[in-house]
Amino acid sequence: MTEAVDWSRRARVCLSKALLDALAGGFDNGLDLYTRYIDTTTLIDSDLCFAGLSRFGLANRTLIAENQYVNRNPAAEPAHWSILSEADVNRAGAMTDCLVVLFVYDPATSEGLFPDRVDNNFWLNTVLESDKKFWLWHDSRPRHIQRAENGPEKRVRAFLATSGRARQLYELDVDRLADFEARAHVWFSETPGPAETACVSVSSFGGDYLAAIDHLLGRKNDNDVDDDDDGEDEIRQLQDFYLRDRSLLHKRWAKQVGSCVALLAYTRREGRGSSLASCHSNKKGRLPVGMRFSCLAIASDMSSDDSRRDFADHATPEAAVVCFYGQDYVCLMQDPWRSLALAKHLDTRGLAQKLLNRTDLSEVPKKLPDAVVREAEKKRDERLEKERSKKRPKGEGGRRPKYNLKKRCRCEACKSAKYVKNMAKAGPDKLCTTPYTVSELLGLLGVLDDAAKSTIAQMVQLSVAAMDIESRTFEVDLEGPRPGHLVEYPEIGGPILEGHVFKAQRPIMIGHTDALTRRRGEKWHDTVKDDSPQAVYALFARYWLKVTQLREDAAKEKAVLAEKMMDLSSRYSQAYIAFSNAWIETSLIEREHHHAGRAEELKRLKEEDRLDEDSYNSLLEAAFNSYFKSDEWSMPTLGQIGTAFRNTLPGLLQTRLGNLIRRYVVFNFYG
Amino acid sequence: MSSSAPDGKYAERGETRSGRRFAQRNFGHYPSLRHLEAAHPRLLQLEAPLSQRGFRIGVNRGTLVQATLRFSTRHPNIRAGLLDHFAQLFQEHVEDTESGFEVVVTFNAALSNAQSNSFSVFYGHDFRANNVAGAAPELSHSTYFVRTLGDVGRLPVEFNFEELAEAHRHAFEQSGVHIAKFLSVVYLVYRYVPPVRRSRLALTANRRRRLDQPPRP
């Protein structure tokens, strides 16, 4: 490679698209690579409208190009793929079968835009001149495992991104990668600066990583080697650390580092937006932005128990952290980065810690305890309520309006506790539950035979009535007898109805029928005495009296019909109350026995001078409280027993029968 | 759509177009172990490529990613294969504080009847309702947690298959079959991926866009 090309076309293309374009070797362009990426990695539900992506695969390229990649605007970041995401870059690298290495250079404001094509030495010279403005940003090599020792090495592609207002992306010559690594700034080492001065070079130890770490930790090969230290001669590849025996590693450096040493490989400096600009935020008194590592090994005292396990949960706060920077440099991390790395990447909290402390997960319960679930549900409800209250529009003066939460409906369904629980405060929400009917309850009790069905049918028939009203049309008084408000006079129409209403209807006759009256052969109807409104009122008063009377008659009839079923329920009730009383009596005797026994024991202890007066009194009171005031020994009242019975099937039957007896529904023929 | 043959009998599955494709799968029993192995060449490969599946959990509750790693019992170095696959997984799913991979170990085995004249394959990767974290309850081995690449060293790679067969001799008792041979070791790897949240960059861009708009009169 003779010259480096600017893939961002002088900052006209955003960094993510520029990198996609650069990586798209085997693909047509960056869009093609992006389309493949979306097609292979995006999980789409079949019931979403977006399912066109999965159904048509690559055929629906237009949708991806227009909506997700935003092809018309090169400066716009594509959706679901970003150069700022470590995983995204790694996945794109895997798709193009290469390992991506990214550097960042932070130019001075005066430097402006860099040219489209620059000589290979341009960037080396530039970063050589700059001071602490060039660093390794992304390195996917530590997590690459070379399977065959003599197999072909995976291709490495290196890029340099400029930060600041104009972001450009250049591909670097891989042959010069070692030079760039040497000049990349290491801000977390003991002596911050370029890697060649701040770090120890592994190549200066013949490529032996262990020897380089020995030097870094101050271990002298001649004196410190134990007789039984065998098998840890040298490591020539980073990947060999992953499966190396931790106990031998710890034994090797125990004298120098004490309890624990963590070996990390730098993979990424987390960057989002403006944080690309500088890695020196600690100058402003703030902690640096996040870093990501691949954990090569954690060797601690615990390693002797399980030589192949990383005891991340036992990494002590004072652990030494050795960090590899690129392939050739290694340094000792310093605070605050050392403790940050330990806390952020090695410290395991919560579930992870619990899991790591186990040898395997077979004993991990599949179901959470009920108390935990209840607590979580309670917290969720509180959170949801908080969110709902935030979403409600604010009334005047910044106060949230109070809704009228009182329900006016008194029907059986709305009175159900389950229904109330499922109602949101602002209105009906989720689920409407209905109670068991009489026939269902009889069926559940096993007594629903044909006779019972016939009885229920008769009771229902007696509960239904019908009425009709005959009316006559009359002229509407549009104006009062005299102008002004001297006399209150009802007026219909006026400006509200724009004078369209001239006529209205007034009831003159009413008729009513139900099963009982039909059986008796009665025909009830009533008419107004004259044409006045008072006569209409008197008509309805008489009608209402008639209806209440007919309702009472029907209720008496239904009570006779339901006698057998009520008897059944009463027998259940008596048995239930008798059992409850017997249980309470037994419990009272038991409670008295326990209390007396305890009091006697305390008395004996006092007589033996094993208890002083105060202790005796307090223990006696505690005993009294534990037997007579605690929930464990509390006895139900008669009312509570009654409530409990009403929630049983016979109790529900009694309630429903009572409701059916009282119910009298009048239909009319007005739609 | 079911098709019927001219003689009035329903055609066998293998005669339809899709049936031909899946005929081998539909034919589950073989007279000898040699026949079974000949019919399942891909199952007997030393190492299967890494396959991943994603399952949506609820609506906007995240994704459960399941990766399946399969190694033949004849594999000379399962550890290296595991390390390679997990390196790939750790590249795709970032190694961070409180996450990792749950690994369930199970097996594929050849089953045989008491007369040893009928052989079939039993898959440890199970889709029945009573599976144990994706593994068949009959052949589930154990579960591990891999948080860093170094934890791959803890995964079991060497098995005493005679002892394993002895331990599982009652697993298929009700069906009247027994394990004739273990074919492959299957590692089911799970990871919970939380739902994607809007990045701060996007939020900043939105805010900037709003600021660019002219103020309301």
Side-chain angles (χ1 to χ4, degrees), chain B residues 116-131:
Chain B
S116 292
N117 55 11
S118 175
F119 292 83
S120 61
V121 178
F122 184 84
Y123 295 94
H125 187 178
D126 195 1
F127 296 94
R128 288 175 294 177
N130 62 340
N131 68 48

Side-chain angles (χ1 to χ4, degrees), chain A residues 41 43-45 48 77 80 82 84-88 90-91 94 99 140-145 147 154 167 239 242-243 246 272-274 292-296 298 306 308-312 343-352 355-356 358-362 366 383, chain B residues 47 53-59 61-64 71 75 77-88 90-99 101-103 132-133 141-157 193 196 198-201:
Chain A
T41 59
L43 176 71
I44 300 165
D45 268 4
L48 291 182
E77 285 277 328
H80 311 306
S82 173
L84 301 174
S85 161
E86 184 183 10
D88 287 356
N90 282 337
R91 286 187 193 125
L99 299 170
S140 51
R141 289 171 295 175
R143 291 208 187 95
H144 171 63
I145 307 293
R147 289 284 288 275
K154 204 162 186 179
R167 295 180 181 178
Q239 67 185 61
Y242 287 123
L243 297 181
R246 270 64 166 145
R272 279 178 180 275
S274 60
R292 289 193 179 276
F293 305 93
S294 182
C295 181
L296 298 171
I298 300 168
D306 187 346
R308 289 188 309 220
R309 185 179 168 192
D310 278 341
F311 286 89
K344 205 172 175 191
H345 295 275
L346 304 180
D347 183 24
T348 54
R349 287 162 288 179
L351 180 65
L355 296 178
L356 277 169
R358 294 170 184 272
T359 52
D360 60 58
L361 301 185
S362 57
K366 296 289 177 193
R383 182 172 55 79
Chain B
E47 186 176 336
R53 294 185 67 191
F55 303 93
R56 282 250 319 229
I57 308 167
V59 177
R61 294 279 180 230
T63 310
L64 190 70
F71 298 92
H75 198 290
N77 192 354
I78 293 180
R79 180 89 63 204
L82 277 176
L83 193 64
D84 184 20
H85 288 312
F86 269 96
Q88 200 176 330
F90 271 110
Q91 279 191 0
E92 292 195 17
H93 306 281
V94 173
E95 176 182 329
D96 59 9
T97 319
E98 290 186 359
S99 65
F101 295 94
E102 183 176 342
V103 184
V132 182
H141 185 259
S142 51
T143 313
Y144 298 87
F145 189 66
V146 173
R147 203 185 68 85
T148 66
L149 259 179
D151 286 336
V152 174
R154 297 179 54 230
L155 297 177
V157 291
V193 181
V196 178
R198 295 182 72 188
S199 70
R200 198 177 300 167
L201 193 67

Side-chain angles (χ1 to χ4, degrees), chain A residues 633-652:
Chain A
W633 284 96
S634 69
M635 300 295 158
T637 62
L638 199 60
Q640 286 169 331
I641 293 171
T643 307
F645 173 72
R646 280 195 294 279
N647 285 320
T648 62
L649 289 179
L652 286 172

Side-chain angles (χ1 to χ4, degrees), chain A residues 49 55 99 380 406 416 453 508 513 515 540 608 637 648:
Chain A
C49 296
R55 185 186 296 172
L99 299 170
R380 184 197 60 187
K406 193 176 174 184
S416 158
K453 283 179 188 171
I508 53 169
T513 181
F540 273 92
E608 289 173 4
T637 62
T648 62

Side-chain angles (χ1 to χ4, degrees), chain A residues 357-649:
Chain A
N357 284 334
R358 294 170 184 272
T359 52
D360 60 58
L361 301 185
S362 57
E363 292 176 3
V364 176
K366 296 289 177 193
K367 193 184 166 203
L368 288 170
D370 290 341
V372 176
V373 173
R374 275 200 300 274
E375 183 69 21
E377 282 177 349
K378 192 180 165 192
K379 281 186 180 173
R380 184 197 60 187
D381 291 345
E382 286 173 1
R383 182 172 55 79
L384 286 176
E385 178 56 30
K386 208 173 172 183
E387 285 175 6
R388 275 186 198 146
S389 65
K390 276 183 187 171
K391 283 178 186 171
R392 279 178 203 144
K394 287 186 178 180
E396 288 181 8
R399 297 186 66 180
R400 300 182 192 288
K402 287 183 180 176
Y403 293 98
N404 183 13
L405 302 178
K406 193 176 174 184
K407 278 204 290 290
R408 291 177 180 165
C409 180
R410 298 287 177 192
C411 73
E412 284 299 314
C414 288
K415 275 159 68 179
S416 158
K418 282 183 182 175
Y419 177 77
V420 172
K421 193 180 173 187
N422 282 303
M423 288 281 283
K425 285 187 178 175
D429 197 4
K430 297 172 187 172
L431 175 71
C432 180
T433 57
T434 51
Y436 284 128
T437 60
V438 173
S439 54
E440 282 169 346
L441 286 165
L442 288 173
L444 287 168
L445 290 170
V447 290
L448 183 64
D449 51 6
D450 290 342
K453 283 179 188 171
S454 162
T455 307
I456 293 167
Q458 287 178 53
M459 288 174 73
V460 172
Q461 263 190 344
L462 286 169
S463 305
V464 180
M467 59 89 79
D468 194 14
I469 297 172
E470 288 299 325
S471 314
R472 79 169 182 85
T473 307
F474 69 101
E475 299 289 331
V476 172
D477 288 335
L478 292 172
E479 291 176 4
R482 62 179 66 87
H485 297 283
L486 289 174
V487 178
E488 288 291 332
Y489 188 86
E491 291 181 3
I492 298 176
I496 299 172
L497 298 175
E498 297 178 351
H500 289 298
V501 177
F502 298 102
K503 294 177 186 300
Q505 286 200 321
R506 176 177 291 167
I508 53 169
M509 191 173 84
I510 196 163
H512 181 98
T513 181
D514 64 5
L516 200 60
T517 51
R518 283 200 301 279
R519 197 193 303 165
R520 290 173 185 165
E522 294 174 1
K523 284 183 181 177
W524 185 90
H525 62 88
D526 201 352
T527 53
V528 288
K529 299 286 186 253
D530 52 39
D531 204 13
S532 64
Q534 290 85 352
V536 177
Y537 180 83
L539 168 71
F540 273 92
R542 291 196 298 277
Y543 173 60
W544 191 246
L545 285 174
K546 182 69 183 174
V547 168
T548 48
Q549 183 205 332
L550 287 172
R551 176 175 174 270
E552 282 171 16
D553 291 352
K556 281 178 193 166
E557 197 78 13
K558 284 187 276 185
V560 173
L561 286 171
E563 200 171 349
K564 195 177 170 188
M565 288 183 270
M566 289 299 261
D567 277 351
L568 174 74
S569 178
S570 299
R571 285 207 301 278
Y572 270 109
S573 170
Q574 285 164 8
Y576 188 89
I577 290 169
F579 170 78
S580 302
N581 285 335
W583 181 80
I584 289 171
E585 269 180 40
T586 315
S587 299
L588 284 171
I589 293 166
E590 194 179 355
R591 181 171 71 173
E592 195 58 42
H593 169 72
H594 283 299
H595 179 248
R598 176 68 178 156
E600 197 172 326
E601 185 188 354
L602 290 173
K603 193 176 176 185
R604 183 175 55 78
L605 290 172
K606 188 188 171 196
E607 284 171 359
E608 289 173 4
D609 288 339
R610 290 165 67 184
L611 280 177
D612 57 5
E613 186 70 25
D614 291 342
S615 306
Y616 171 75
N617 287 335
S618 64
L619 284 173
L620 202 61
E621 190 181 350
F624 180 82
N625 288 340
S626 67
Y627 287 112
F628 290 95
K629 292 186 178 176
S630 67
D631 289 343
E632 192 183 353
W633 284 96
S634 69
M635 300 295 158
T637 62
L638 199 60
Q640 286 169 331
I641 293 171
T643 307
F645 173 72
R646 280 195 294 279
N647 285 320
T648 62
L649 289 179

